[in-house]
Tab-separated table of all heavy atoms in Angstrom:
chain	number	residue	atom	x	y	z
A	1	PRO	N	0.842	-1.209	-0.011
A	1	PRO	CA	0.007	0.005	-0.025
A	1	PRO	C	0.890	1.284	-0.008
A	1	PRO	O	2.003	1.229	0.465
A	1	PRO	CB	-0.803	-0.136	1.306
A	1	PRO	CG	-0.039	-1.045	2.141
A	1	PRO	CD	0.714	-1.930	1.224
A	2	VAL	N	0.309	2.367	-0.563
A	2	VAL	CA	1.014	3.583	-0.597
A	2	VAL	C	0.694	4.476	0.629
A	2	VAL	O	-0.459	4.746	0.933
A	2	VAL	CB	0.669	4.333	-1.900
A	2	VAL	CG1	1.429	5.690	-1.968
A	2	VAL	CG2	1.061	3.448	-3.133
A	3	LEU	N	1.792	4.932	1.266
A	3	LEU	CA	1.658	5.818	2.445
A	3	LEU	C	2.109	7.218	2.041
A	3	LEU	O	3.234	7.365	1.632
A	3	LEU	CB	2.498	5.315	3.570
A	3	LEU	CG	2.534	6.209	4.852
A	3	LEU	CD1	1.157	6.225	5.486
A	3	LEU	CD2	3.560	5.650	5.816
A	4	GLY	N	1.207	8.141	2.068
A	4	GLY	CA	1.508	9.560	1.744
A	4	GLY	C	1.907	10.245	3.003
A	4	GLY	O	1.181	10.352	3.955
A	5	VAL	N	3.096	10.786	2.986
A	5	VAL	CA	3.621	11.525	4.134
A	5	VAL	C	3.578	13.038	3.814
A	5	VAL	O	4.319	13.469	2.887
A	5	VAL	CB	5.030	11.123	4.541
A	5	VAL	CG1	5.554	11.963	5.758
A	5	VAL	CG2	5.067	9.606	4.901
A	6	ILE	N	2.786	13.774	4.491
A	6	ILE	CA	2.590	15.196	4.159
A	6	ILE	C	3.380	16.083	5.118
A	6	ILE	O	3.171	15.958	6.369
A	6	ILE	CB	1.136	15.597	4.225
A	6	ILE	CG1	0.329	14.746	3.218
A	6	ILE	CG2	0.931	17.102	3.992
A	6	ILE	CD1	-1.173	14.993	3.282
A	7	VAL	N	4.256	16.873	4.637
A	7	VAL	CA	5.032	17.875	5.435
A	7	VAL	C	4.141	19.108	5.457
A	7	VAL	O	3.993	19.821	4.487
A	7	VAL	CB	6.386	18.181	4.850
A	7	VAL	CG1	7.186	19.097	5.729
A	7	VAL	CG2	7.201	16.865	4.592
A	8	GLY	N	3.544	19.408	6.707
A	8	GLY	CA	2.551	20.445	6.756
A	8	GLY	C	3.008	21.831	6.888
A	8	GLY	O	2.213	22.744	6.704
A	9	SER	N	4.238	22.079	7.337
A	9	SER	CA	4.668	23.486	7.495
A	9	SER	C	5.303	23.971	6.286
A	9	SER	O	6.014	23.271	5.558
A	9	SER	CB	5.664	23.513	8.618
A	9	SER	OG	6.227	24.822	8.732
A	10	VAL	N	5.090	25.225	5.961
A	10	VAL	CA	5.704	25.907	4.814
A	10	VAL	C	6.559	27.093	5.223
A	10	VAL	O	7.109	27.801	4.403
A	10	VAL	CB	4.685	26.431	3.786
A	10	VAL	CG1	3.831	25.203	3.312
A	10	VAL	CG2	3.743	27.459	4.383
A	11	ARG	N	6.809	27.297	6.503
A	11	ARG	CA	7.594	28.422	7.006
A	11	ARG	C	9.073	28.312	6.593
A	11	ARG	O	9.625	27.177	6.599
A	11	ARG	CB	7.501	28.470	8.533
A	11	ARG	CG	6.265	29.060	9.096
A	11	ARG	CD	6.387	29.234	10.589
A	11	ARG	NE	5.173	29.767	11.116
A	11	ARG	CZ	4.984	30.039	12.377
A	11	ARG	NH1	5.961	29.844	13.304
A	11	ARG	NH2	3.889	30.576	12.815
A	12	ALA	N	9.693	29.458	6.393
A	12	ALA	CA	11.110	29.461	6.138
A	12	ALA	C	11.842	29.004	7.435
A	12	ALA	O	11.368	29.366	8.576
A	12	ALA	CB	11.600	30.899	5.764
A	13	GLY	N	12.894	28.242	7.334
A	13	GLY	CA	13.622	27.809	8.511
A	13	GLY	C	12.917	26.708	9.298
A	13	GLY	O	13.279	26.433	10.448
A	14	ARG	N	11.948	26.070	8.750
A	14	ARG	CA	11.144	25.040	9.415
A	14	ARG	C	11.968	23.762	9.734
A	14	ARG	O	12.920	23.531	9.026
A	14	ARG	CB	9.893	24.749	8.560
A	14	ARG	CG	10.296	24.081	7.232
A	14	ARG	CD	9.232	24.259	6.206
A	14	ARG	NE	9.784	23.851	4.923
A	14	ARG	CZ	9.307	22.898	4.173
A	14	ARG	NH1	8.226	22.229	4.530
A	14	ARG	NH2	9.917	22.552	3.082
A	15	VAL	N	11.504	23.061	10.707
A	15	VAL	CA	12.158	21.786	11.100
A	15	VAL	C	11.433	20.592	10.451
A	15	VAL	O	11.986	19.459	10.460
A	15	VAL	CB	12.131	21.671	12.614
A	15	VAL	CG1	12.843	20.433	13.131
A	15	VAL	CG2	12.839	22.891	13.259
A	16	GLY	N	10.273	20.829	9.902
A	16	GLY	CA	9.375	19.760	9.386
A	16	GLY	C	10.083	18.778	8.405
A	16	GLY	O	9.930	17.573	8.579
A	17	PRO	N	10.907	19.202	7.484
A	17	PRO	CA	11.607	18.268	6.571
A	17	PRO	C	12.515	17.275	7.316
A	17	PRO	O	12.641	16.107	6.935
A	17	PRO	CB	12.411	19.162	5.594
A	17	PRO	CG	11.600	20.428	5.589
A	17	PRO	CD	11.092	20.570	7.012
A	18	THR	N	13.189	17.803	8.385
A	18	THR	CA	14.045	16.896	9.220
A	18	THR	C	13.173	15.819	9.908
A	18	THR	O	13.533	14.697	9.885
A	18	THR	CB	14.813	17.697	10.285
A	18	THR	OG1	15.587	18.675	9.575
A	18	THR	CG2	15.684	16.822	11.131
A	19	VAL	N	12.089	16.233	10.503
A	19	VAL	CA	11.225	15.311	11.189
A	19	VAL	C	10.608	14.314	10.175
A	19	VAL	O	10.609	13.103	10.408
A	19	VAL	CB	10.044	16.102	11.890
A	19	VAL	CG1	9.086	15.097	12.564
A	19	VAL	CG2	10.637	17.005	12.930
A	20	ALA	N	10.221	14.760	9.013
A	20	ALA	CA	9.656	13.985	7.997
A	20	ALA	C	10.636	12.968	7.454
A	20	ALA	O	10.372	11.766	7.295
A	20	ALA	CB	9.111	14.811	6.839
A	21	ARG	N	11.928	13.361	7.275
A	21	ARG	CA	12.937	12.428	6.741
A	21	ARG	C	13.196	11.304	7.746
A	21	ARG	O	13.304	10.189	7.415
A	21	ARG	CB	14.219	13.195	6.482
A	21	ARG	CG	14.264	13.901	5.099
A	21	ARG	CD	15.678	14.379	4.812
A	21	ARG	NE	16.212	15.423	5.724
A	21	ARG	CZ	15.944	16.661	5.608
A	21	ARG	NH1	15.144	17.154	4.637
A	21	ARG	NH2	16.416	17.531	6.518
A	22	TRP	N	13.164	11.627	9.071
A	22	TRP	CA	13.326	10.611	10.082
A	22	TRP	C	12.172	9.593	9.992
A	22	TRP	O	12.393	8.386	9.941
A	22	TRP	CB	13.385	11.197	11.515
A	22	TRP	CG	13.396	10.137	12.549
A	22	TRP	CD1	14.512	9.538	13.074
A	22	TRP	CD2	12.240	9.531	13.157
A	22	TRP	NE1	14.107	8.508	13.929
A	22	TRP	CE2	12.659	8.475	13.973
A	22	TRP	CE3	10.871	9.712	13.043
A	22	TRP	CZ2	11.857	7.672	14.719
A	22	TRP	CZ3	10.019	8.896	13.815
A	22	TRP	CH2	10.517	7.890	14.621
A	23	PHE	N	10.955	10.094	9.839
A	23	PHE	CA	9.807	9.150	9.824
A	23	PHE	C	9.823	8.351	8.540
A	23	PHE	O	9.578	7.155	8.535
A	23	PHE	CB	8.503	9.912	9.947
A	23	PHE	CG	7.355	8.962	9.821
A	23	PHE	CD1	6.990	8.136	10.855
A	23	PHE	CD2	6.607	8.880	8.638
A	23	PHE	CE1	5.913	7.210	10.740
A	23	PHE	CE2	5.535	7.981	8.523
A	23	PHE	CZ	5.249	7.108	9.600
A	24	VAL	N	10.182	9.012	7.407
A	24	VAL	CA	10.193	8.274	6.092
A	24	VAL	C	11.245	7.178	6.144
A	24	VAL	O	10.939	6.031	5.718
A	24	VAL	CB	10.460	9.249	4.973
A	24	VAL	CG1	10.874	8.529	3.696
A	24	VAL	CG2	9.253	10.114	4.682
A	25	ARG	N	12.389	7.438	6.662
A	25	ARG	CA	13.428	6.355	6.822
A	25	ARG	C	12.826	5.235	7.679
A	25	ARG	O	13.065	4.105	7.385
A	25	ARG	CB	14.697	6.934	7.478
A	25	ARG	CG	15.541	7.714	6.490
A	25	ARG	CD	17.027	7.962	7.023
A	25	ARG	NE	17.017	8.608	8.309
A	25	ARG	CZ	17.128	9.955	8.474
A	25	ARG	NH1	17.164	10.736	7.394
A	25	ARG	NH2	17.177	10.491	9.675
A	26	HIS	N	12.190	5.575	8.809
A	26	HIS	CA	11.648	4.514	9.688
A	26	HIS	C	10.554	3.715	8.919
A	26	HIS	O	10.578	2.511	8.971
A	26	HIS	CB	10.997	5.209	10.906
A	26	HIS	CG	10.754	4.249	12.009
A	26	HIS	ND1	11.734	3.794	12.888
A	26	HIS	CD2	9.640	3.560	12.237
A	26	HIS	CE1	11.130	2.884	13.696
A	26	HIS	NE2	9.903	2.755	13.374
A	27	ALA	N	9.690	4.446	8.197
A	27	ALA	CA	8.581	3.697	7.464
A	27	ALA	C	9.178	2.870	6.347
A	27	ALA	O	8.646	1.790	6.163
A	27	ALA	CB	7.549	4.750	6.921
A	28	GLU	N	10.142	3.311	5.651
A	28	GLU	CA	10.761	2.516	4.624
A	28	GLU	C	11.386	1.292	5.184
A	28	GLU	O	11.303	0.192	4.567
A	28	GLU	CB	11.744	3.402	3.749
A	28	GLU	CG	11.037	4.380	2.873
A	28	GLU	CD	11.979	5.342	2.192
A	28	GLU	OE1	13.162	5.484	2.561
A	28	GLU	OE2	11.458	5.986	1.187
A	29	ALA	N	12.128	1.443	6.288
A	29	ALA	CA	12.725	0.258	6.927
A	29	ALA	C	11.744	-0.712	7.440
A	29	ALA	O	12.021	-1.959	7.394
A	29	ALA	CB	13.650	0.781	8.083
A	30	ASP	N	10.575	-0.213	7.783
A	30	ASP	CA	9.493	-1.131	8.241
A	30	ASP	C	8.996	-2.049	7.147
A	30	ASP	O	8.764	-3.204	7.290
A	30	ASP	CB	8.332	-0.267	8.745
A	30	ASP	CG	7.147	-1.075	9.202
A	30	ASP	OD1	7.061	-1.443	10.369
A	30	ASP	OD2	6.250	-1.312	8.297
A	31	GLY	N	8.922	-1.487	5.912
A	31	GLY	CA	8.668	-2.317	4.757
A	31	GLY	C	7.255	-2.598	4.431
A	31	GLY	O	6.971	-3.207	3.405
A	32	ARG	N	6.279	-2.114	5.204
A	32	ARG	CA	4.908	-2.432	4.945
A	32	ARG	C	4.284	-1.496	3.889
A	32	ARG	O	3.213	-1.814	3.373
A	32	ARG	CB	4.054	-2.383	6.203
A	32	ARG	CG	4.324	-3.554	7.119
A	32	ARG	CD	3.417	-3.470	8.298
A	32	ARG	NE	4.174	-2.818	9.401
A	32	ARG	CZ	3.874	-2.819	10.661
A	32	ARG	NH1	2.792	-3.533	11.051
A	32	ARG	NH2	4.543	-2.159	11.564
A	33	PHE	N	4.893	-0.400	3.577
A	33	PHE	CA	4.325	0.577	2.703
A	33	PHE	C	5.416	1.026	1.677
A	33	PHE	O	6.552	1.057	1.911
A	33	PHE	CB	3.894	1.887	3.480
A	33	PHE	CG	2.767	1.695	4.376
A	33	PHE	CD1	2.927	1.430	5.718
A	33	PHE	CD2	1.495	1.854	3.883
A	33	PHE	CE1	1.871	1.304	6.557
A	33	PHE	CE2	0.395	1.711	4.696
A	33	PHE	CZ	0.564	1.398	6.043
A	34	GLU	N	4.826	1.459	0.525
A	34	GLU	CA	5.635	2.281	-0.383
A	34	GLU	C	5.391	3.705	0.067
A	34	GLU	O	4.240	4.163	0.224
A	34	GLU	CB	5.079	2.152	-1.890
A	34	GLU	CG	5.708	3.034	-2.803
A	34	GLU	CD	5.051	2.991	-4.156
A	34	GLU	OE1	4.444	2.002	-4.531
A	34	GLU	OE2	5.094	4.046	-4.911
A	35	VAL	N	6.440	4.419	0.340
A	35	VAL	CA	6.252	5.746	0.909
A	35	VAL	C	6.456	6.872	-0.032
A	35	VAL	O	7.469	6.852	-0.861
A	35	VAL	CB	7.297	5.935	2.098
A	35	VAL	CG1	7.146	7.284	2.813
A	35	VAL	CG2	7.177	4.796	3.126
A	36	ARG	N	5.540	7.749	-0.047
A	36	ARG	CA	5.632	8.974	-0.971
A	36	ARG	C	5.580	10.212	-0.034
A	36	ARG	O	4.732	10.249	0.859
A	36	ARG	CB	4.552	9.027	-1.965
A	36	ARG	CG	4.618	7.857	-2.924
A	36	ARG	CD	3.643	8.021	-4.033
A	36	ARG	NE	3.677	6.825	-4.860
A	36	ARG	CZ	2.704	6.423	-5.640
A	36	ARG	NH1	1.621	7.172	-5.772
A	36	ARG	NH2	2.756	5.323	-6.304
A	37	VAL	N	6.350	11.186	-0.382
A	37	VAL	CA	6.349	12.511	0.406
A	37	VAL	C	5.743	13.639	-0.418
A	37	VAL	O	6.060	13.786	-1.613
A	37	VAL	CB	7.815	12.797	0.835
A	37	VAL	CG1	7.820	14.170	1.545
A	37	VAL	CG2	8.437	11.724	1.631
């Protein structure tokens, strides 16, 4: 199944992409989903 990971903040200097990358790596390692950002 496809898991859509939405980075919700658009502010300059945001931390969201760092948090999202951590989660995406974790979800990909889990292997149950095809992950899209």
Side-chain angles (χ1 to χ4, degrees):
V2 177
L3 177 65
V5 177
I6 300 173
V7 182
S9 173
V10 299
R11 284 187 179 179
R14 64 204 170 119
V15 181
T18 300
V19 177
R21 278 190 298 274
W22 174 86
F23 178 75
V24 166
R25 282 194 304 267
H26 193 86
E28 288 174 341
D30 177 90
R32 286 182 268 196
F33 290 97
E34 174 188 333
V35 182
R36 295 189 188 160
V37 177

